[in-house]
Amino acid sequence: MDPLTLVMLAVLAALVFFMFRNSRKRQKDLAALQAQMVVGAEVMTNFGMYGTILAIDEEANKVALEIAPGTVVQLHRQTIARVVEPIVAEPEDEGVAELKQGSATVMGEPDFGQRVADTDEEPKKGDA
C-alpha cells in the first residue's frame, strides 16, 4: 500500500477513536447529573435560572422547579444544566478579620471620593 493511504487511514482511525471517547464521556457526565437530580436539590438551568426541585415526572420528562417561595415552574428535564453545590466558607483568623474590617484606615487608603496627593508635583494635563 501507498504510505499516503496508510497515513489517511491512521488519521481516520484516530478521529473515530476520539469521537467514541467523547461520546462515552458525555454519556457518563449525563448519567452523573441524572443521579444527582433528586427532590430537594438546588439546580441551575441552561438559561441561568436557579431553583429547587420539588417533583420529577419520569414519564413526561418534566421537573417542577421552585424558583421563588410559592413560584413553581414546569421545565423539561434536559434543561437542568447542573446541580449547585453549597459553598462552605472557611473560618478566618482574628487578625485577618480585623484587617478586613478596618482596611481603609490600616492600609492608609482614602475614603470614597477623597483625593490624596502622593507627591508635591503639579497635576499633569490629563489629570482631573
Side-chain angles (χ1 to χ4, degrees):
M1 263 210 245
D2 178 22
L4 184 62
T5 305
L6 290 175
V7 170
M8 295 290 272
L9 288 175
V11 169
L12 181 65
L15 286 174
V16 170
F17 171 75
F18 284 116
M19 283 179 9
F20 279 117
R21 191 177 116 199
N22 192 21
S23 175
R24 280 193 210 135
K25 181 180 177 189
R26 199 174 303 133
Q27 286 176 351
K28 189 171 81 173
D29 290 343
L30 184 62
L33 175 66
Q34 296 296 329
Q36 289 179 340
M37 281 182 29
V38 294
V39 175
E42 181 86 15
V43 295
M44 184 185 84
T45 62
N46 286 340
F47 43 92
M49 186 178 293
Y50 288 88
T52 305
I53 296 177
L54 295 181
I56 300 173
D57 184 5
E58 298 284 338
E59 293 177 7
N61 275 338
K62 287 185 180 180
V63 174
L65 191 68
E66 183 178 33
I67 56 174
T71 306
V72 179
V73 293
Q74 296 287 325
L75 300 172
H76 194 276
R77 190 174 180 165
Q78 290 180 345
T79 61
I80 304 295
R82 64 184 176 101
V83 176
V84 179
E85 300 294 330
I87 299 173
V88 179
E90 295 180 16
E92 295 181 354
D93 294 336
E94 289 181 20
V96 173
E98 289 174 10
L99 285 175
K100 284 185 177 180
Q101 211 170 32
S103 64
T105 56
V106 171
M107 301 301 289
E109 294 179 10
D111 292 332
F112 180 77
Q114 194 177 39
R115 302 183 113 204
V116 177
D118 291 335
T119 60
D120 294 332
E121 295 178 14
E122 291 291 320
K124 296 182 177 121
K125 186 176 182 181
D127 291 345

